[in-house]
Amino acid sequence: MEYYNYIKALHLIFVITWFAGLFYIPRLFVYQIEAFHRPSPDKEILGEQLKLMAKRLWYIITWPSAILATIFALWLLVLMPSWLEQPWMHVKLTFVVLLFLYHLKTHIYFIQLQNDVVKKTSNFMRLWNEGATFILFAVVFLVILKSAINWVFGVVGILVLGILLMLGFKVYKRIREKNGDTF
């Protein structure tokens, strides 16, 4: 158990870098989609550069971080199997499953955009960008409070956060439209 805190620190570091990738990749998707609709040669120049940036972020930071965060999480559970008996951990693991589903769906969007298949709008990707934020809030509150009951208050807080983010998104969209910004 002497190395428990090292394993926990490594888990936390890779969770942070995983979320960093999940926060940034949809933003790159926004730029890729908007570049796709620009005239030549901007479309090709921006498109190729953004694809390269997304590829490096996804395969060098985000996927390895997800894998390493998972390995260290499993190691922690082996060291502390009693956590699996606690209700807050059941709720947390549900959110972790949602995080993996979000990650995998984001991977599908990544592959599509790498192949110049644009099925979603930049506005959709701006909203998609907030998915990881909701999961992060839920998991952090669960881990800190270690309560399956208090997570209900966290979910209410997440819903309030969602409403505020949607309002902020609408205000930002109006400002962009007013200024004629494309990026």
Side-chain angles (χ1 to χ4, degrees):
M1 290 300 272
E2 145 185 341
Y3 53 89
Y4 168 82
N5 284 329
Y6 292 102
I7 304 303
K8 189 174 181 180
L10 288 167
H11 171 65
L12 185 56
I13 288 166
F14 289 111
V15 166
I16 291 167
T17 56
W18 183 14
F19 271 99
L22 289 175
F23 289 151
Y24 191 51
I25 196 79
R27 177 51 53 184
L28 288 176
F29 294 167
V30 168
Y31 299 147
Q32 283 181 275
I33 292 166
E34 290 178 352
F36 186 81
H37 297 294
R38 293 179 67 96
S40 290
D42 292 351
K43 175 181 178 175
E44 292 78 18
I45 295 168
L46 289 170
E48 290 306 311
Q49 182 62 41
L50 291 166
K51 280 184 194 179
L52 179 62
M53 291 169 66
K55 184 177 179 181
R56 288 177 177 164
L57 173 66
W58 199 239
Y59 289 126
I60 296 173
I61 297 172
T62 312
W63 265 110
S65 295
I67 292 165
L68 289 167
T70 303
I71 289 169
F72 288 115
L74 293 172
W75 196 345
L76 288 170
L77 288 174
V78 167
L79 293 174
M80 299 291 288
S82 62
W83 284 354
L84 292 172
E85 298 169 10
Q86 299 180 20
W88 69 269
M89 181 58 80
H90 299 160
V91 177
K92 177 194 173 195
L93 291 175
T94 301
F95 280 106
V96 171
V97 169
L98 288 174
L99 180 63
F100 275 108
L101 293 173
Y102 177 87
H103 183 108
L104 293 172
K105 187 64 177 178
T106 301
H107 185 77
I108 291 168
Y109 296 143
F110 167 78
I111 295 296
Q112 289 173 348
L113 289 169
Q114 289 294 307
N115 292 311
D116 293 324
V117 176
V118 178
K119 292 185 175 184
K120 300 294 181 186
T121 66
S122 60
N123 284 335
F124 173 85
M125 284 301 163
R126 283 184 176 89
L127 292 174
W128 182 256
N129 196 19
E130 303 310 325
T133 304
F134 294 125
I135 295 169
L136 177 66
F137 268 71
V139 170
V140 167
F141 276 105
L142 281 163
V143 171
I144 299 299
L145 299 175
K146 290 187 177 30
S147 168
I149 295 171
N150 286 339
W151 78 271
V152 172
F153 295 112
V155 169
V156 171
I158 290 169
L159 292 175
V160 170
L161 174 66
I163 291 167
L164 292 174
L165 287 171
M166 295 301 266
L167 290 172
F169 176 73
K170 288 184 181 246
V171 168
Y172 176 69
K173 184 177 176 184
R174 285 189 192 137
I175 291 169
R176 283 181 32 134
E177 289 170 352
K178 180 181 172 186
N179 293 335
D181 292 341
T182 57
F183 276 106

